[in-house]
Amino acid sequence: MAVASTSLASQLSGPKSISSYSGLRRSCSKLDHTQSLSLFQHLHSQLRLSSSSRKASRGIVAMAGTGKFFVGGNWKCNGTKDSISKLVSDLNSAKLEADVDVVVAPPFLYIDKVKNSLTDRIEISGQNSWVGKGGAFTGEISVEQLKDIGATWVILDTQKGGMSLEKMISFIGKKAAYALNEGLGVIACIGEKLEEREAGKTFDICFQQLKAFADAVHSWDDIVIAYEPVWAIGTGKVASPEQAQEVHVAVRDWLKKNVSPEVASKTRIIYGGSVNGGNSAELAKKEDIDGFLVGGASLKGPEFATIINSVTAKKVAA
Ligand code: PGA
């Protein structure tokens, strides 16, 4: 897995820059740039109105939602007994800011080992779960098994599994509902592919994926939404803070209109896609970025700690 190590500034200006991916603006195909911008500003101002009092009381000026900052590390299919022992030991000795929920998702094989050696300060997530009660499903892991081993979260990714979007959409909501009913928290991943962004379909795709979750679940109390543009995952092409913020605002607005203003305010919307220790603070400064889902950079304890501690970028003086 590629671990992006360049600074945000150099990524934005270098050959891997994604600042030219302007497709998202084209999602409002009937609007010209000025109209599209004013629509965005309108959404923005509506949302900001509802959160201003909380920001003042907590002295945090860069947070639109009311949820605690959340950082997840998805180790994916990485690690050996040795490298995981080292990672756990680095995480155990890291100094982490208090006001952040921290979760790691080791490969299933190593969850037990990690659970038994990692500080309780960090929770454990599965990287996937079966859609219902366990049984004769080769290669799957059930929610019951995850709970049995001490996991409290599961990552559910709309882009996983090579299924068509339609199939995945009907499946993912059921998975989420089952996991939530059984008491796991769900990290619900949404995000567009590059060709979808370039075709101006970013919002449409994200809203479709959100709807798959919204139609199936009864409560949003234990759901964290991870916006993970597929083109930014493991590629070193991080979304600019503005690109991420733009989608996060749209997601919060969608929740406000389609679920409730309360859910829109309290649901954490985290960003994932080539987040690293060099770009997390700039991303965290954006009001609607409530944390991160980190892949490659979560495999290095000190760098993951830097990303967790980027919550301090939100606490700029009022
Ligand atoms: P990345 O992965 O940080 O390696 O891009 C992100 C993710 O898939 O959660």
Side-chain angles (χ1 to χ4, degrees):
M1 175 173 306
V3 178
S5 58
T6 50
S7 71
L8 178 66
S10 69
Q11 282 168 357
L12 291 177
S13 59
K16 285 180 174 173
S17 167
I18 42 78
S19 55
S20 58
Y21 297 171
S22 57
L24 188 139
R25 289 289 186 199
R26 278 185 275 136
S27 68
C28 301
S29 54
K30 302 242 170 20
L31 305 178
D32 63 23
H33 180 73
T34 316
Q35 287 170 313
S36 142
L37 199 61
S38 79
L39 174 65
F40 175 65
Q41 282 161 347
H42 174 66
L43 296 177
H44 185 83
S45 62
Q46 277 194 326
L47 287 161
R48 295 309 77 108
L49 279 175
S50 61
S51 63
S52 54
S53 55
R54 187 193 65 79
K55 279 184 284 175
S57 64
R58 281 181 59 187
I60 293 178
V61 299
M63 201 139 179
T66 55
K68 194 172 175 185
F69 203 70
F70 184 106
V71 178
N74 182 0
W75 298 355
K76 304 188 184 174
C77 186
N78 289 290
T80 59
K81 285 191 284 183
D82 284 351
S83 71
I84 284 176
S85 292
K86 163 92 171 72
L87 180 50
V88 166
S89 136
D90 286 348
L91 291 174
N92 286 345
S93 58
K95 205 172 167 311
L96 305 180
E97 290 289 324
D99 46 0
V100 186
D101 285 337
V102 185
V103 174
V104 292
F108 291 126
L109 271 179
Y110 299 107
I111 288 184
D112 196 32
K113 172 185 167 65
V114 173
K115 177 67 191 164
N116 290 327
S117 53
L118 185 65
T119 165
D120 289 343
R121 165 74 182 82
I122 301 179
E123 290 180 83
I124 306 283
S125 174
Q127 295 183 14
N128 196 5
S129 60
W130 181 238
V131 67
K133 195 168 161 47
F137 307 108
T138 305
E140 300 290 346
I141 301 286
S142 72
V143 167
E144 290 80 7
Q145 290 169 324
L146 285 173
K147 280 168 44 184
D148 187 39
I149 211 93
T152 44
W153 289 88
V154 62
I155 298 172
L156 296 178
D157 188 347
T158 46
Q159 300 287 354
K160 204 179 235 144
M163 284 187 202
S164 68
L165 184 62
E166 293 67 34
K167 265 200 176 157
M168 177 47 80
I169 277 177
S170 72
F171 199 52
I172 200 92
K174 287 183 195 152
K175 278 192 179 192
Y178 190 80
L180 291 166
N181 285 342
E182 292 299 312
L184 286 186
V186 167
I187 302 171
C189 304
I190 62 168
E192 81 288 359
K193 299 193 181 93
L194 180 57
E195 60 269 25
E196 292 164 341
R197 171 164 282 260
E198 288 179 334
K201 292 182 180 162
T202 296
F203 288 161
D204 292 347
I205 296 291
C206 290
F207 295 167
Q208 252 182 305
Q209 295 164 337
L210 276 174
K211 187 169 182 312
F213 290 107
D215 286 349
V217 305
H218 299 301
S219 161
W220 285 75
D221 285 351
D222 298 312
I223 302 181
V224 170
I225 297 171
Y227 169 56
E228 298 207 302
V230 178
W231 49 267
I233 295 175
T235 58
K237 294 176 183 170
V238 65
S240 69
E242 292 70 29
Q243 285 174 314
Q245 167 69 11
E246 189 172 33
V247 178
H248 284 223
V249 169
V251 167
R252 209 180 293 282
D253 190 56
W254 189 93
L255 289 174
K256 189 176 174 190
K257 289 194 180 117
N258 295 281
V259 185
S260 73
E262 194 206 352
V263 165
S265 166
K266 76 180 184 200
T267 301
R268 273 81 63 90
I269 306 170
I270 63 177
Y271 168 77
S274 298
V275 175
N276 61 39
N279 59 30
S280 56
E282 284 308 308
L283 287 159
K285 282 180 191 162
K286 291 296 177 188
E287 278 186 300
D288 289 273
I289 296 182
D290 302 325
F292 302 110
L293 186 55
V294 187
S298 71
L299 300 171
K300 297 175 182 170
E303 183 165 11
F304 189 54
T306 300
I307 295 168
I308 293 163
N309 292 338
S310 65
V311 67
T312 53
K314 290 216 168 287
K315 299 175 191 168
V316 288

Short mmCIF file of all heavy atoms in Angstrom, two decimals, residues 65-105:
data_model
loop_
_atom_site.label_atom_id
_atom_site.label_comp_id
_atom_site.label_asym_id
_atom_site.label_seq_id
_atom_site.Cartn_x
_atom_site.Cartn_y
_atom_site.Cartn_z
N GLY A 65 -20.19 20.14 13.36
CA GLY A 65 -21.00 19.14 14.05
C GLY A 65 -20.73 19.17 15.54
O GLY A 65 -19.83 19.87 16.03
N THR A 66 -21.53 18.40 16.27
CA THR A 66 -21.37 18.37 17.73
C THR A 66 -20.65 17.10 18.19
O THR A 66 -20.44 16.92 19.39
CB THR A 66 -22.75 18.43 18.41
OG1 THR A 66 -23.55 17.36 17.91
CG2 THR A 66 -23.43 19.75 18.15
N GLY A 67 -20.32 16.22 17.28
CA GLY A 67 -19.70 14.94 17.66
C GLY A 67 -18.22 15.10 17.98
O GLY A 67 -17.56 16.04 17.54
N LYS A 68 -17.72 14.14 18.75
CA LYS A 68 -16.30 14.14 19.12
C LYS A 68 -15.46 13.76 17.90
O LYS A 68 -15.86 12.90 17.11
CB LYS A 68 -16.14 13.08 20.22
CG LYS A 68 -14.87 13.11 20.99
CD LYS A 68 -15.02 12.11 22.15
CE LYS A 68 -13.76 11.95 22.94
NZ LYS A 68 -13.90 10.91 23.98
N PHE A 69 -14.30 14.36 17.77
CA PHE A 69 -13.36 14.03 16.69
C PHE A 69 -13.11 12.52 16.70
O PHE A 69 -13.01 11.91 17.78
CB PHE A 69 -12.06 14.79 16.94
CG PHE A 69 -11.21 15.01 15.71
CD1 PHE A 69 -11.60 15.89 14.72
CD2 PHE A 69 -9.98 14.36 15.58
CE1 PHE A 69 -10.80 16.12 13.61
CE2 PHE A 69 -9.18 14.58 14.47
CZ PHE A 69 -9.59 15.46 13.49
N PHE A 70 -13.04 11.93 15.54
CA PHE A 70 -12.96 10.46 15.43
C PHE A 70 -11.87 10.11 14.43
O PHE A 70 -11.88 10.58 13.30
CB PHE A 70 -14.32 9.96 14.94
CG PHE A 70 -14.45 8.46 14.86
CD1 PHE A 70 -15.20 7.76 15.79
CD2 PHE A 70 -13.85 7.74 13.82
CE1 PHE A 70 -15.35 6.38 15.71
CE2 PHE A 70 -13.99 6.36 13.74
CZ PHE A 70 -14.74 5.68 14.68
N VAL A 71 -10.93 9.26 14.85
CA VAL A 71 -9.90 8.83 13.90
C VAL A 71 -9.82 7.30 13.91
O VAL A 71 -9.64 6.67 14.96
CB VAL A 71 -8.51 9.43 14.24
CG1 VAL A 71 -7.46 8.90 13.27
CG2 VAL A 71 -8.56 10.96 14.17
N GLY A 72 -9.99 6.73 12.73
CA GLY A 72 -9.89 5.28 12.57
C GLY A 72 -8.67 4.93 11.74
O GLY A 72 -8.30 5.65 10.82
N GLY A 73 -8.05 3.81 12.10
CA GLY A 73 -6.92 3.31 11.31
C GLY A 73 -7.32 1.96 10.73
O GLY A 73 -7.60 1.02 11.47
N ASN A 74 -7.39 1.90 9.42
CA ASN A 74 -7.75 0.64 8.75
C ASN A 74 -6.47 -0.01 8.25
O ASN A 74 -5.87 0.46 7.28
CB ASN A 74 -8.72 0.95 7.59
CG ASN A 74 -9.17 -0.32 6.89
OD1 ASN A 74 -8.77 -1.44 7.26
ND2 ASN A 74 -10.01 -0.16 5.87
N TRP A 75 -6.07 -1.08 8.92
CA TRP A 75 -4.79 -1.71 8.58
C TRP A 75 -4.91 -2.58 7.33
O TRP A 75 -3.90 -3.08 6.83
CB TRP A 75 -4.28 -2.55 9.77
CG TRP A 75 -4.00 -1.73 11.00
CD1 TRP A 75 -4.07 -0.37 11.11
CD2 TRP A 75 -3.63 -2.22 12.29
NE1 TRP A 75 -3.76 0.02 12.40
CE2 TRP A 75 -3.48 -1.11 13.15
CE3 TRP A 75 -3.40 -3.50 12.82
CZ2 TRP A 75 -3.12 -1.22 14.49
CZ3 TRP A 75 -3.04 -3.61 14.16
CH2 TRP A 75 -2.90 -2.49 14.98
N LYS A 76 -6.14 -2.79 6.90
CA LYS A 76 -6.40 -3.59 5.67
C LYS A 76 -5.67 -4.93 5.74
O LYS A 76 -5.63 -5.56 6.80
CB LYS A 76 -6.04 -2.76 4.43
CG LYS A 76 -6.81 -1.43 4.41
CD LYS A 76 -6.65 -0.67 3.14
CE LYS A 76 -7.36 0.68 3.24
NZ LYS A 76 -7.15 1.53 2.10
N CYS A 77 -5.05 -5.35 4.64
CA CYS A 77 -4.43 -6.68 4.60
C CYS A 77 -2.92 -6.54 4.84
O CYS A 77 -2.10 -7.06 4.08
CB CYS A 77 -4.73 -7.29 3.23
SG CYS A 77 -4.20 -8.98 3.03
N ASN A 78 -2.57 -5.77 5.89
CA ASN A 78 -1.16 -5.50 6.18
C ASN A 78 -0.79 -6.04 7.55
O ASN A 78 -1.60 -6.06 8.47
CB ASN A 78 -0.90 -3.99 6.19
CG ASN A 78 -0.96 -3.39 4.81
OD1 ASN A 78 -0.08 -3.62 3.98
ND2 ASN A 78 -2.02 -2.64 4.55
N GLY A 79 0.47 -6.42 7.69
CA GLY A 79 1.01 -6.75 8.99
C GLY A 79 1.35 -8.21 9.16
O GLY A 79 0.82 -9.10 8.47
N THR A 80 2.29 -8.43 10.06
CA THR A 80 2.68 -9.78 10.48
C THR A 80 2.67 -9.75 12.00
O THR A 80 2.51 -8.67 12.60
CB THR A 80 4.12 -10.09 10.02
OG1 THR A 80 4.98 -9.10 10.60
CG2 THR A 80 4.26 -10.04 8.50
N LYS A 81 2.89 -10.90 12.63
CA LYS A 81 2.91 -10.89 14.10
C LYS A 81 3.92 -9.86 14.61
O LYS A 81 3.65 -9.10 15.54
CB LYS A 81 3.27 -12.29 14.63
CG LYS A 81 2.12 -13.27 14.51
CD LYS A 81 2.39 -14.55 15.27
CE LYS A 81 3.36 -15.43 14.52
NZ LYS A 81 3.62 -16.72 15.17
N ASP A 82 5.09 -9.82 13.97
CA ASP A 82 6.14 -8.91 14.43
C ASP A 82 5.79 -7.45 14.20
O ASP A 82 5.93 -6.60 15.09
CB ASP A 82 7.47 -9.23 13.71
CG ASP A 82 8.12 -10.48 14.28
OD1 ASP A 82 7.62 -10.97 15.32
OD2 ASP A 82 9.09 -10.97 13.68
N SER A 83 5.38 -7.15 12.98
CA SER A 83 5.13 -5.73 12.68
C SER A 83 3.94 -5.22 13.49
O SER A 83 3.90 -4.06 13.92
CB SER A 83 4.93 -5.49 11.19
OG SER A 83 3.69 -6.01 10.76
N ILE A 84 2.98 -6.10 13.75
CA ILE A 84 1.81 -5.67 14.53
C ILE A 84 2.19 -5.47 16.00
O ILE A 84 1.72 -4.52 16.65
CB ILE A 84 0.64 -6.65 14.31
CG1 ILE A 84 0.04 -6.35 12.92
CG2 ILE A 84 -0.43 -6.52 15.40
CD1 ILE A 84 -1.05 -7.26 12.45
N SER A 85 3.08 -6.30 16.52
CA SER A 85 3.55 -6.08 17.90
C SER A 85 4.22 -4.72 18.03
O SER A 85 4.01 -3.98 19.01
CB SER A 85 4.60 -7.13 18.30
OG SER A 85 3.99 -8.37 18.39
N LYS A 86 5.02 -4.37 17.03
CA LYS A 86 5.73 -3.08 17.05
C LYS A 86 4.72 -1.93 16.97
O LYS A 86 4.82 -0.95 17.72
CB LYS A 86 6.71 -3.06 15.86
CG LYS A 86 7.24 -1.72 15.44
CD LYS A 86 8.57 -1.43 16.17
CE LYS A 86 9.28 -0.20 15.65
NZ LYS A 86 8.67 1.06 15.99
N LEU A 87 3.75 -2.08 16.09
CA LEU A 87 2.74 -1.03 15.92
C LEU A 87 1.95 -0.85 17.23
O LEU A 87 1.72 0.29 17.68
CB LEU A 87 1.82 -1.41 14.75
CG LEU A 87 0.68 -0.47 14.37
CD1 LEU A 87 1.15 0.96 14.21
CD2 LEU A 87 0.01 -0.95 13.08
N VAL A 88 1.55 -1.94 17.84
CA VAL A 88 0.80 -1.87 19.09
C VAL A 88 1.64 -1.20 20.16
O VAL A 88 1.16 -0.32 20.90
CB VAL A 88 0.34 -3.29 19.53
CG1 VAL A 88 -0.13 -3.29 20.98
CG2 VAL A 88 -0.77 -3.79 18.61
N SER A 89 2.91 -1.57 20.22
CA SER A 89 3.75 -0.97 21.25
C SER A 89 3.94 0.53 21.01
O SER A 89 3.91 1.34 21.94
CB SER A 89 5.06 -1.78 21.31
OG SER A 89 6.17 -0.97 21.40
N ASP A 90 4.07 0.92 19.75
CA ASP A 90 4.16 2.37 19.43
C ASP A 90 2.88 3.09 19.82
O ASP A 90 2.91 4.22 20.34
CB ASP A 90 4.43 2.57 17.93
CG ASP A 90 5.87 2.24 17.56
OD1 ASP A 90 6.71 2.07 18.48
OD2 ASP A 90 6.16 2.11 16.35
N LEU A 91 1.75 2.46 19.54
CA LEU A 91 0.48 3.11 19.88
C LEU A 91 0.30 3.19 21.39
O LEU A 91 -0.21 4.19 21.91
CB LEU A 91 -0.70 2.34 19.25
CG LEU A 91 -0.79 2.43 17.72
CD1 LEU A 91 -1.88 1.52 17.18
CD2 LEU A 91 -1.04 3.87 17.25
N ASN A 92 0.73 2.16 22.09
CA ASN A 92 0.58 2.17 23.55
C ASN A 92 1.41 3.27 24.19
O ASN A 92 1.05 3.80 25.24
CB ASN A 92 0.99 0.82 24.14
CG ASN A 92 -0.07 -0.25 23.88
OD1 ASN A 92 -1.20 0.06 23.53
ND2 ASN A 92 0.31 -1.51 24.03
N SER A 93 2.53 3.61 23.58
CA SER A 93 3.37 4.64 24.20
C SER A 93 3.12 6.03 23.61
O SER A 93 3.72 7.00 24.05
CB SER A 93 4.85 4.26 24.07
OG SER A 93 5.18 4.10 22.71
N ALA A 94 2.22 6.13 22.65
CA ALA A 94 1.96 7.45 22.04
C ALA A 94 1.14 8.32 22.98
O ALA A 94 0.29 7.82 23.72
CB ALA A 94 1.21 7.27 20.72
N LYS A 95 1.41 9.61 22.92
CA LYS A 95 0.63 10.55 23.72
C LYS A 95 -0.52 11.04 22.84
O LYS A 95 -0.29 11.70 21.82
CB LYS A 95 1.53 11.72 24.12
CG LYS A 95 1.07 12.40 25.36
CD LYS A 95 2.09 13.43 25.85
CE LYS A 95 1.51 14.34 26.92
NZ LYS A 95 0.23 14.93 26.61
N LEU A 96 -1.73 10.68 23.23
CA LEU A 96 -2.89 11.01 22.39
C LEU A 96 -3.77 12.06 23.07
O LEU A 96 -4.03 11.96 24.27
CB LEU A 96 -3.72 9.75 22.10
CG LEU A 96 -2.97 8.56 21.49
CD1 LEU A 96 -3.92 7.39 21.26
CD2 LEU A 96 -2.28 8.97 20.17
N GLU A 97 -4.22 13.01 22.28
CA GLU A 97 -5.16 14.01 22.81
C GLU A 97 -6.39 13.30 23.36
O GLU A 97 -6.84 12.29 22.80
CB GLU A 97 -5.59 14.96 21.68
CG GLU A 97 -4.49 15.89 21.19
CD GLU A 97 -4.13 16.97 22.20
OE1 GLU A 97 -5.05 17.44 22.89
OE2 GLU A 97 -2.95 17.32 22.31
N ALA A 98 -6.96 13.86 24.44
CA ALA A 98 -8.06 13.17 25.12
C ALA A 98 -9.37 13.20 24.32
O ALA A 98 -10.12 12.24 24.32
CB ALA A 98 -8.27 13.79 26.49
N ASP A 99 -9.62 14.32 23.65
CA ASP A 99 -10.96 14.46 23.07
C ASP A 99 -11.04 13.93 21.64
O ASP A 99 -11.52 14.61 20.73
CB ASP A 99 -11.43 15.92 23.16
CG ASP A 99 -10.35 16.89 22.74
OD1 ASP A 99 -9.27 16.43 22.38
OD2 ASP A 99 -10.61 18.11 22.76
N VAL A 100 -10.59 12.71 21.47
CA VAL A 100 -10.67 12.04 20.17
C VAL A 100 -11.07 10.58 20.40
O VAL A 100 -10.49 9.91 21.27
CB VAL A 100 -9.29 12.03 19.45
CG1 VAL A 100 -9.42 11.46 18.04
CG2 VAL A 100 -8.67 13.41 19.41
N ASP A 101 -12.05 10.10 19.67
CA ASP A 101 -12.33 8.66 19.66
C ASP A 101 -11.36 8.02 18.68
O ASP A 101 -11.25 8.47 17.53
CB ASP A 101 -13.77 8.40 19.18
CG ASP A 101 -14.80 8.75 20.25
OD1 ASP A 101 -14.44 8.77 21.43
OD2 ASP A 101 -15.96 9.01 19.88
N VAL A 102 -10.66 6.99 19.13
CA VAL A 102 -9.67 6.33 18.28
C VAL A 102 -10.01 4.85 18.12
O VAL A 102 -10.30 4.16 19.12
CB VAL A 102 -8.23 6.47 18.85
CG1 VAL A 102 -7.22 5.88 17.88
CG2 VAL A 102 -7.90 7.92 19.16
N VAL A 103 -9.97 4.39 16.90
CA VAL A 103 -10.35 3.01 16.58
C VAL A 103 -9.32 2.47 15.59
O VAL A 103 -8.87 3.20 14.70
CB VAL A 103 -11.75 3.00 15.91
CG1 VAL A 103 -12.12 1.61 15.43
CG2 VAL A 103 -12.82 3.54 16.85
N VAL A 104 -8.93 1.20 15.74
CA VAL A 104 -8.11 0.58 14.69
C VAL A 104 -8.78 -0.71 14.21
O VAL A 104 -9.46 -1.40 14.97
CB VAL A 104 -6.66 0.25 15.14
CG1 VAL A 104 -5.87 1.52 15.38
CG2 VAL A 104 -6.62 -0.66 16.36
N ALA A 105 -8.59 -1.00 12.94
CA ALA A 105 -9.18 -2.19 12.32
C ALA A 105 -8.07 -3.09 11.80
O ALA A 105 -7.63 -2.96 10.65
CB ALA A 105 -10.11 -1.77 11.19
#
